[in-house]
Amino acid sequence: MERRSDHVTKGVATAPQRSLFNALGMTKEELDRPLVGIVSSYNEIVPGHMNIDKIADAVKMGVAMAGGTPIMFPAIAVCDGIAMGHIGMKYSLVTRDLIADSTECMAMAHQFDALVMIPNCDKNVPGLLMAAARLNIPTIFVSGGPMLAGRVKGCKTSLSSMFEAVGSYAAGTMDIDDVDEYVSNACPTCGSCSGMYTANSMNCLTEALGMALKGNGTIPAVYSERLKLAKHAGMKVMELLEKNIRPRDIMTEDAFMNALTVDMALGCSTNSMLHLPAIAHEAGVDINLDIANEISARTPNLCHLAPAGHTYIEELNEAGGVYAVMNELDKKGLLKTDLITVTGKTVKENIEKVKNRNPEVIRPIDNPYSEVGGIAVLRGNLAPDSCVVKRSAVVPEMLVHEGPARVFDCEEDAIEAIRGGKIVAGDVVVIRYEGPKGGPGMREMLNPTSAIAGMGLGSTVALITDGRFSGASRGASIGHVSPEAAVGGPIALVREGDIIKIDINANTINLDISDEEMEARRAEWQPRQPKVTTGYLARYASLVTSANTGAILKNR
């Protein structure tokens, strides 16, 4: 059978290419084997990626042991935590497409036979999944792994507590020594931050999609077990190549329905509602947010991991991980289990012997936290094309809320008002012109949500934005409002003091004004000048679509 790599390694016509492989120090024996691209996201600025060099070495060993020639090339990654709260956050979501595009370029230019993707953090995982679907050559994923939880004053904690400590300091309920204790202890190891934030959500969903081996989403970064997982991933990709099992054989429509179901059970980050549609789009599968609500309506929420609760990814791992959650879901027939996965086996074969070892971390299917899923999609005259909330992280008294709008046209102004004590119980904070086009880049609003929580307002104040939220946000944080303000969506028409009505149970969100008043305001509205007019962000803003379609880029 002809290999892709034959285009650069076989015959007289490839002699020039082989001379360049010779310059790399490669032997004839190596070129006679399949060439496997190892996509390493290692860098020295992201805590979730500082250990990926070791993961990559383990993957390379696995590939070599199974008869392949591993060749590493890089992928970029942004640390959302470091980028948070300043212009850097405009450059987070936009890297998802850079990662997909650059990986496509490297894989096609060098004609790799198969790929092992090694991501870990927020946009890095979906960006590489998009590339895998687009390239459709045998591929497996193994992440860098989650961080261990921190400990402050004898209690486990995580990055979300760190951000909330800043709000508590502003409120006068915490002094600088307390803040410094969090700084020193909230993030104790390498790895993706320890709660069910976006990075861990996407790594767990990679298992649910069938693109990674058991434990990929949950084995801590510092455990030697992760190195063994990486070696097995390297060996397994050679089996995928031999059997010609490709990403689109795995990432079918049914596989995405499984991923959405697991998403609801785990209580994943709302960012999954951006990333799953974008990945599906590359795989030729259409996911709309109405499907997400249908799945949420029949899927119990089984996990309350931080920030929704006080358990962490390490405890999910100890309880049996993603496969144990899937096994619980399968007891009520909520998954398609005859689907092929990167294990070479079906979903049913993967999960049938996995036990739930801690019913407090993974609730049994007949004793869930709630009968409906962890994410809700809302619609109404304020968000006719939808918006998204992590329902499992909302306190019961905020599931239905009505209050006056406090309107801000950027994140910075909202944070200043919150920390300045200008937001009071009952308010609905509206942050607009932060969407995919308007931001541009759809910044995460972890700073304002954490400030609200830190100020003691988490159970009385809602926040609505056409931007998005970190998985570390909790409370009535409603994002992805579509259409966004920059294109004249209704969120652009909200005025200070307008009453906003939110009913998460009923999946509705409405501005309490008449249709006539809405139309009058629409007639007065004028588009704003773009915030950024040069460079990559300007190009991105000209091509990006709405959040409700996954913020994918338009094809010209």
Side-chain angles (χ1 to χ4, degrees):
M1 184 180 72
E2 184 183 51
R3 298 175 186 153
R4 287 163 53 89
S5 60
D6 289 351
H7 296 139
V8 293
T9 62
K10 296 291 187 292
V12 174
T14 70
Q17 286 91 339
R18 282 184 282 121
S19 73
L20 294 168
F21 281 113
N22 182 69
L24 289 169
M26 287 201 174
T27 65
K28 180 180 182 302
E29 290 81 2
E30 286 175 293
L31 296 184
D32 284 341
R33 296 178 172 188
L35 302 186
V36 180
I38 312 300
V39 189
S40 170
S41 305
Y42 169 76
N43 63 47
E44 294 182 341
I45 187 63
V46 184
H49 291 237
M50 62 183 284
N51 65 315
I52 282 179
D53 56 339
K54 296 175 179 61
I55 302 294
D57 286 344
V59 167
K60 289 166 70 176
M61 184 175 291
V63 169
M65 284 192 294
T69 297
I71 304 172
M72 186 171 65
F73 65 88
I76 64 168
V78 163
C79 177
D80 279 22
I82 294 174
M84 195 71 66
H86 54 90
I87 192 173
M89 182 43 68
K90 295 180 186 289
Y91 286 88
S92 171
L93 178 61
V94 305
T95 65
R96 188 183 70 180
D97 295 275
L98 280 176
I99 291 162
D101 292 349
S102 59
T103 302
E104 175 192 357
C105 291
M106 290 294 287
M108 294 300 293
H110 303 103
Q111 291 293 284
F112 290 107
D113 297 301
L115 297 169
V116 182
M117 306 290 200
I118 314 177
N120 209 25
C121 287
D122 296 42
K123 311 311 157 316
N124 189 243
V125 184
L128 289 180
L129 281 164
M130 289 165 68
R134 190 186 300 173
L135 288 161
N136 201 34
I137 62 177
T139 301
I140 194 169
F141 277 68
V142 57
S143 77
M147 184 183 291
L148 292 178
R151 285 188 179 272
V152 174
K153 294 180 170 58
C155 297
K156 284 189 175 182
T157 191
S158 59
L159 183 67
S160 51
S161 300
M162 184 71 258
F163 276 88
E164 290 176 16
V166 176
S168 297
Y169 178 78
T173 57
M174 189 177 286
D175 62 28
I176 193 63
D177 290 336
D178 291 326
V179 173
D180 286 343
E181 186 175 2
Y182 273 93
V183 170
S184 298
N185 296 289
C187 299
T189 73
C190 64
S192 48
C193 296
S194 57
M196 189 52 81
Y197 310 149
T198 305
N200 291 327
S201 294
M202 293 311 302
N203 281 320
C204 287
L205 294 181
T206 304
E207 282 190 62
L209 274 172
M211 289 297 294
L213 302 178
K214 180 181 185 294
N216 178 69
T218 59
I219 298 170
V222 295
Y223 284 12
S224 298
E225 188 67 23
R226 183 151 291 273
L227 297 177
K228 292 163 65 177
L229 178 72
K231 291 173 187 174
H232 283 130
M235 289 185 271
K236 187 61 71 172
V237 80
M238 298 305 297
E239 181 183 323
L240 296 174
L241 178 60
E242 180 184 355
K243 295 179 178 178
N244 197 28
I245 298 173
R246 300 170 181 246
R248 290 189 200 172
D249 299 327
I250 297 168
M251 289 194 283
T252 62
E253 182 176 352
D254 283 341
F256 281 101
M257 296 306 105
N258 280 354
L260 282 167
T261 301
V262 174
D263 188 336
M264 299 304 169
L266 284 172
C268 289
S269 163
T270 51
N271 280 314
S272 63
M273 294 295 101
L274 281 176
H275 300 322
L276 286 175
I279 299 159
H281 175 75
E282 297 289 353
V285 174
D286 180 45
I287 291 180
N288 64 61
L289 296 187
D290 292 322
I291 295 172
N293 255 1
E294 289 170 17
I295 291 174
S296 182
R298 62 175 181 262
T299 305
N301 176 226
L302 305 181
C303 299
H304 267 193
L305 296 150
H310 300 289
T311 52
Y312 296 83
I313 300 296
E314 63 199 63
E315 288 154 309
L316 177 61
N317 185 63
E318 292 163 6
V322 176
Y323 278 15
V325 174
M326 294 175 74
N327 187 280
E328 290 289 347
L329 293 170
D330 188 45
K331 291 175 183 177
K332 285 198 173 179
L334 295 172
L335 298 175
K336 298 283 188 178
T337 60
D338 59 346
L339 311 180
I340 194 67
T341 70
V342 291
T343 66
K345 299 177 181 178
T346 64
V347 172
K348 186 70 172 179
E349 291 172 307
N350 289 340
I351 68 174
E352 60 185 349
K353 295 182 180 178
V354 180
K355 294 181 179 179
N356 179 356
R357 295 193 292 266
N358 189 335
E360 294 304 313
V361 175
I362 304 171
R363 287 280 186 92
I365 194 71
D366 56 1
N367 182 34
Y369 281 102
S370 68
E371 293 293 342
V372 293
I375 291 177
V377 177
L378 316 183
R379 291 182 190 270
N381 69 356
L382 186 54
D385 289 344
S386 77
C387 56
V388 179
V389 63
K390 187 171 182 174
R391 173 166 42 200
S392 59
V394 179
V395 294
E397 56 266 35
M398 288 297 289
L399 290 170
V400 178
H401 181 74
E402 177 179 327
R406 306 298 309 278
V407 182
F408 304 93
D409 288 347
C410 67
E411 176 190 4
E412 289 82 358
D413 289 351
I415 292 171
E416 183 179 352
I418 296 164
R419 291 180 180 164
K422 296 177 181 178
I423 302 302
V424 299
D427 284 348
V428 179
V429 176
V430 177
I431 306 178
R432 61 192 181 189
Y433 294 99
E434 290 285 8
K437 283 185 179 293
M442 203 179 181
R443 287 194 287 182
E444 289 184 342
M445 300 293 153
L446 179 56
N447 271 349
T449 59
S450 298
I452 287 169
M455 297 287 285
L457 298 170
S459 61
T460 57
V461 169
L463 193 153
I464 299 171
T465 181
D466 54 6
R468 60 196 178 91
F469 295 106
S470 164
S473 290
R474 61 187 176 97
S477 303
I478 300 167
H480 308 193
V481 171
S482 302
E484 62 175 291
V487 298
I491 191 172
L493 311 179
V494 181
R495 294 178 181 173
E496 186 80 9
D498 283 347
I499 299 300
I500 294 175
K501 296 181 176 181
I502 302 162
D503 190 336
I504 295 172
N505 294 325
N507 302 111
T508 61
I509 182 167
N510 286 291
L511 183 63
D512 192 19
I513 62 174
S514 68
D515 293 345
E516 292 78 12
E517 174 65 16
M518 184 79 84
E519 288 309 311
R521 293 184 188 183
R522 194 184 310 280
E524 294 176 4
W525 179 81
Q526 294 292 322
R528 301 200 172 194
Q529 289 297 315
K531 293 178 184 176
V532 179
T533 58
T534 60
Y536 178 59
L537 285 181
R539 188 161 70 251
Y540 178 88
S542 72
L543 295 173
V544 71
T545 62
S546 178
N548 67 295
T549 59
I552 59 174
L553 300 187
K554 292 179 290 187
N555 289 323
R556 289 187 172 179

